[in-house]
Amino acid sequence: MGQKVNPISNRLGVIRGWDSNWFGGKKYGDNLLEDSKLRKYLEVRLAKSSVSRIVIERTLKLITITICTSRPGLIIGKGGQEVDKLKEELKK
């Protein structure tokens, strides 16, 4: 038997991309900590909506969060009310 390797690391850049896409620069540690806090919060907040993956993309002034789920109706809510609440909570 050979060495055990994380299967995601073999697929990066070929089949699958990174879970966070941004350039850190001097604020690398702050961005990494903020990404971790966002992921933990979203995993707890959306525990019942079967979230499989959370992708965070950053530009200079904008953060885009993509949530991959099998039950989008629970996240969106009636008329998009839950999405608006979630956006306001994440801005804090």
Side-chain angles (χ1 to χ4, degrees):
M1 292 213 351
Q3 297 284 327
K4 303 295 186 222
V5 179
N6 186 354
I8 293 174
S9 65
N10 291 336
R11 295 177 178 95
L12 280 175
V14 179
I15 298 172
R16 184 174 171 168
W18 295 96
D19 288 337
S20 293
N21 297 322
W22 46 270
F23 176 74
K26 295 180 181 178
K27 296 184 178 182
Y28 180 81
D30 296 335
N31 288 343
L32 190 62
L33 185 63
E34 188 176 349
D35 279 3
S36 176
K37 287 180 182 179
L38 284 172
R39 282 182 205 282
K40 286 180 185 177
Y41 175 75
L42 286 172
E43 287 173 2
V44 171
R45 170 83 159 67
L46 305 173
K48 295 181 181 178
S49 59
S50 302
V51 174
S52 63
R53 200 169 94 188
I54 299 171
V55 179
I56 299 173
E57 298 175 359
R58 291 177 184 262
T59 59
L60 291 175
K61 296 183 180 180
L62 183 67
I63 299 175
T64 305
I65 299 174
T66 306
I67 302 171
C68 301
T69 181
S70 62
R71 304 174 78 187
L74 292 177
I75 296 174
I76 297 170
K78 288 188 177 182
Q81 294 172 353
E82 292 295 319
V83 172
D84 294 336
K85 286 182 189 176
L86 188 61
K87 283 182 186 178
E88 292 301 319
E89 291 171 3
L90 290 176
K91 285 181 183 179
K92 292 180 183 178

